[in-house]
Amino acid sequence: VRRDLLVEADERAPGEGRAYRFKHVLIRDVTYAAIPKAQRSRMHDSYGRWLEEAFGDRRDEVAEIVAHHAEQAFLLASELGRKEAPALGERALALLAEVARRAFLRNDSAARGLYERAADLSERFAADPATHANVHAAAAVLRDDEVGDRTGLERARVLCEAVPGVEFHGRLLNSLARRAFEQDDPERARALWDQAVEVCATLGDEAVGLARVNRAVGAYLIGELDRFRELIADALTYIRATGASQSLFPALVWNRVAAFFRGDLSGAAALTAQMDASLATLRSAQAEVLRLQGRARQHFVCGDHSEAARLAGLSVSGWRGLGDSHGLGNAL
């Protein structure tokens, strides 16, 4: 501080004591580079663990920062071939995988990058096979969804089939089924969607509910409309009976599609109201845009094209504002 290298920060330090920052980013970078890598690894590990302890019950607030320091501690130790590297790797992988999972569940676009970092990390030591398979499956699915990169899907499938209970296995099979459908192989696609439902039987009601919805959508894509209507109705019944809330919204969306096909506009309107209620509980910007998009479709089918166009335009603006290319594509 006397030499004007550090200044006291405005924010309050976690735990006790004051918080400081470097006066300039170059001072920070030069200082960091001057520290031997072995010491850097120990400092990253110590700081991450201290931060967890300092935040106590609020440690979720700094989970991503802690995961970053655990990752850096492992990478440096691994580069130096230190004996503690595998243990640091296990800690870093577990922390990164959990942060990635939370980002995915809240529809955060950071999820793919976090899963890709976790997948890369899991290649650098003898990682737990289930975690190794899951982070690779998640990274592959999200790359496929977001940028159309399917290079990792088949390898992830091999990893998932080697160990039971991989959380992303069902979603991975859905991605592979869609790929088979696009390659004009409906038999393989149908088999993969059926397999996803079977695989998810051991993963809990949420996974089963989503797999059932995906299987129904697969029947729709293939053109088996009677089977689609039956499967999507069964999926919604299952989801409501088990309370699988995370898959409720897509089940309502596709049951509304089935209602439109039947010409049941009052039933479709009732499902739209249920979709609104489901999204209202999320209280997120994405949910609000989805509500606009759902209402636009409802007005369009009912013949109110001017209101449908207005709402659709608002949903397009909303997705652009959020930087969500997948949502934007659907809205357009």
Side-chain angles (χ1 to χ4, degrees):
V1 173
R2 286 195 305 272
R3 293 176 182 271
D4 204 29
L5 300 176
L6 296 173
V7 294
E8 190 169 351
D10 293 334
E11 66 267 19
R12 181 171 169 269
E16 299 178 0
R18 300 172 180 177
Y20 293 84
R21 61 177 175 80
F22 285 98
K23 184 70 177 287
H24 194 282
V25 67
L26 291 177
I27 300 173
R28 182 200 67 187
D29 291 349
V30 170
T31 304
Y32 185 78
I35 301 171
K37 289 183 179 179
Q39 186 178 347
R40 262 189 257 170
S41 174
R42 290 192 295 272
M43 290 173 73
H44 277 296
D45 183 47
S46 297
Y47 179 71
R49 294 177 191 273
W50 172 80
L51 201 58
E52 276 187 307
E53 183 179 346
F55 271 76
D57 293 340
R58 296 167 47 229
R59 63 171 57 92
D60 288 352
E61 298 175 21
V62 291
E64 192 166 341
I65 299 173
V66 172
H68 164 76
H69 286 287
E71 180 184 20
Q72 293 304 309
F74 163 70
L75 291 174
L76 289 162
S78 179
E79 184 180 337
L80 296 171
R82 297 185 66 86
K83 63 180 181 180
E84 67 268 23
L88 292 173
E90 288 287 356
R91 169 176 162 78
L93 179 57
L95 290 168
L96 261 182
E98 182 56 28
V99 168
R101 183 176 184 272
R102 290 176 185 172
F104 174 77
L105 291 176
R106 64 175 183 267
N107 295 314
D108 189 331
S109 59
R112 176 165 66 95
L114 289 165
Y115 271 122
E116 287 175 339
R117 282 165 55 191
D120 177 68
L121 207 67
S122 73
E123 294 288 332
R124 296 170 180 263
F125 69 102
D128 169 67
T131 306
H132 178 63
N134 194 57
V135 295
H136 274 276
V141 168
L142 294 176
R143 276 196 301 270
D144 181 27
D145 286 349
E146 296 177 15
V147 296
D149 179 0
R150 297 173 169 177
T151 54
L153 292 175
E154 285 296 345
R155 183 184 177 221
R157 182 185 183 184
V158 172
L159 293 173
C160 287
E161 291 182 348
V163 289
V166 175
E167 183 181 12
F168 254 82
H169 196 174
R171 295 177 188 271
L172 175 69
L173 290 170
N174 178 57
S175 295
L176 288 166
R178 283 181 173 268
R179 183 180 186 181
F181 167 75
E182 291 167 7
Q183 293 173 340
D184 200 24
D185 190 351
E187 292 299 322
R188 173 172 163 75
R190 189 184 297 108
L192 286 165
W193 274 309
D194 288 339
Q195 184 187 353
V197 175
E198 294 173 9
V199 161
C200 289
T202 61
L203 300 178
D205 294 331
E206 290 288 359
V208 173
L210 182 60
R212 284 175 173 244
V213 171
N214 287 336
R215 179 172 63 177
V217 175
Y220 170 82
L221 294 174
I222 291 170
E224 300 171 339
L225 297 185
D226 288 340
R227 183 167 181 260
F228 158 66
R229 285 190 284 263
E230 178 184 345
L231 289 175
I232 199 61
D234 287 347
L236 183 57
T237 299
Y238 176 88
I239 289 164
R240 282 175 168 158
T242 59
S245 58
Q246 292 175 22
S247 47
L248 177 60
F249 181 74
L252 291 169
V253 169
W254 285 99
N255 270 278
R256 187 179 65 170
V257 171
F260 286 150
F261 276 130
R262 294 194 304 271
D264 181 6
L265 297 186
S266 61
L271 287 162
T272 298
Q274 293 172 43
M275 288 161 55
D276 272 3
S278 173
L279 288 170
T281 64
L282 300 179
R283 298 180 181 178
S284 69
Q286 290 92 340
E288 288 304 311
V289 181
L290 281 170
R291 291 173 74 182
L292 288 170
Q293 198 168 314
R295 290 169 183 169
R297 181 179 288 272
Q298 181 70 32
H299 281 282
F300 176 78
V301 172
C302 293
D304 187 355
H305 293 170
S306 60
E307 181 64 5
R310 186 185 74 83
L311 292 168
L314 290 173
S315 71
V316 167
S317 298
W319 289 125
R320 282 185 173 142
L322 293 169
D324 189 322
S325 58
H326 182 71
L328 178 60
N330 286 333
L332 288 169

